């Protein structure tokens, strides 16, 4: 795990005065939406220009950056999509840091009420779904779906459950399918479930059932001093309480 923090860069000076900074453009995984919006408000309250935030699946954002989209910061929901950009020399690898983590949970609509479930190797998810689909991110490219696939493989149920998945283009879309009752079950991040009043957490998947859920942050090659300072803020002690308030675990 990459844990190196970046020191804030001083404001650029020209002719004795501070240069007006352009807003930083941040491409961030959909599961970071609520926490990052709160942190963006804190950042602006300190006198900075509010950052431009773009949320989607990490896979979609990484490919947009690859195609030349103007992002200064990339906040991914898994290490492989950051690896993807690093292999193409599109981020600054020395800036890479993974300050927060998450957990994977099984959710259902709030009504009707259902008893709790501890996902284990003998848990029959198809029976729990009662003929309906199980919503999650598309395992082909969405990090939440990749973690869900790993958990299902650990349970020995991937082959049986795979045809019954409702494969969403990001984890928030998967959550919405459950909220609307279009899927009786969903496999999503704990933070997304906590932010929703339309789902109930039935249980958490064991940590050993999937790779650690970590969020790597990094500067892109076009990033300037203000983006460097924002990254230091997001990965540093000032932001820690906000990440925890929204349910994210801090890196050890």
């Amino acid at each position: 795990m990459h844990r190196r923090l970046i020191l804030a860069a001083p404001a650029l000076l020209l002719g004795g005065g501070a240069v007006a900074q352009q807003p930083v453009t941040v491409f961030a995984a959909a599961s970071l939406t609520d926490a990052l919006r709160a942190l963006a408000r804190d950042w602006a309250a300190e006198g900075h220009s509010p950052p431009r935030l773009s949320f989607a699946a990490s896979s979609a954002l990484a490919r947009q950056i690859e195609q030349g989209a103007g992002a200064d910061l990339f906040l991914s929901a898994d290490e492989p999509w950051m690896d993807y950009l690093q292999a193409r020399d599109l981020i600054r690898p020395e800036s890479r840091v993974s300050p927060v983590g998450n957990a994977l949970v099984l959710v259902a609509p709030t009504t009707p009420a259902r008893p709790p479930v501890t996902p284990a190797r003998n848990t029959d998810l198809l029976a729990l779904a009662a003929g309906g689909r199980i919503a999650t991110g598309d395992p082909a490219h969405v990090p939440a779906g990749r973690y869900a696939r790993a958990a299902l493989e650990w349970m020995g149920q991937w082959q049986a459950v795979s045809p019954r998945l409702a494969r969403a283009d990001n984890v928030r879309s998967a959550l919405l399918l459950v909220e609307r009752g279009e899927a009786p079950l969903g496999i999503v991040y704990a933070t997304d479930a906590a932010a929703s009043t339309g789902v109930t957490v039935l249980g958490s998947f064991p940590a050993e059932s999937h790779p650690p859920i970590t969020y790597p942050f990094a500067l892109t090659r076009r990033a300037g001093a203000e983006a460097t300072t924002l990254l230091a803020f997001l990965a540093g002690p000032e932001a820690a309480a906000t990440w925890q308030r929204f349910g994210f675990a801090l890196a050890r």
Side-chain angles (χ1 to χ4, degrees):
M1 182 185 297
H2 301 270
R3 298 182 181 176
R4 295 186 300 272
L5 298 182
I6 302 169
L7 296 176
L12 296 176
L13 299 178
L14 181 62
V19 174
Q21 295 286 352
Q22 291 298 316
V24 177
T25 298
V26 182
F27 279 19
S31 54
L32 296 173
T33 300
D34 299 322
L36 190 57
R37 282 177 174 164
L39 287 165
R41 291 191 292 271
D42 293 343
W43 175 252
E46 292 185 1
H48 300 276
S49 296
R52 299 188 183 103
L53 307 178
S54 179
F55 299 101
S58 300
S59 54
L61 297 171
R63 289 186 175 119
Q64 289 174 27
I65 293 171
E66 182 183 23
Q67 293 164 8
D72 300 299
L73 278 175
F74 178 45
L75 315 185
S76 175
D78 72 358
E79 304 292 339
W81 281 112
M82 190 64 79
D83 293 341
Y84 180 89
L85 291 185
Q86 184 167 332
R88 288 157 178 77
D89 196 30
L90 294 172
I91 65 162
R92 298 181 186 174
E94 72 281 2
S95 74
R96 185 171 171 172
V97 58
S98 297
V100 295
N102 214 329
L104 200 66
V105 296
L106 183 68
V107 298
T110 52
T111 54
R114 301 180 62 162
V117 175
T118 300
R121 294 186 190 274
N122 62 351
T123 305
D124 189 341
L125 292 182
L126 289 180
L128 289 173
R133 293 189 175 274
I134 300 172
T136 193
D138 188 342
H141 58 89
V142 177
R146 289 178 171 175
Y147 294 122
R149 174 171 181 163
L152 291 168
E153 289 175 340
W154 176 83
M155 296 171 74
Q157 297 187 40
W158 170 250
Q159 293 301 324
V161 173
S162 177
R164 301 301 304 163
L165 291 179
R167 302 168 183 245
D169 58 3
N170 63 64
V171 70
R172 285 298 176 98
S173 296
L175 187 72
L176 188 59
L177 291 175
V178 183
E179 289 175 336
R180 291 174 173 171
E182 296 173 28
L185 292 176
I187 302 174
V188 299
Y189 296 128
T191 53
D192 292 297
S196 172
T197 59
V199 304
T200 297
V201 175
L202 300 182
S204 299
F205 288 86
E208 65 268 23
S209 70
H210 55 79
I213 301 174
T214 57
Y215 287 75
F217 301 174
L219 299 170
T220 67
R221 285 294 179 190
R222 66 164 244 165
E226 186 75 347
T228 301
T229 308
L230 176 56
L231 177 55
F233 168 77
L234 294 175
E238 287 184 87
T242 300
W243 289 122
Q244 289 180 303
R245 177 161 57 89
F246 283 91
F248 291 92
L250 300 181
R252 296 178 181 177

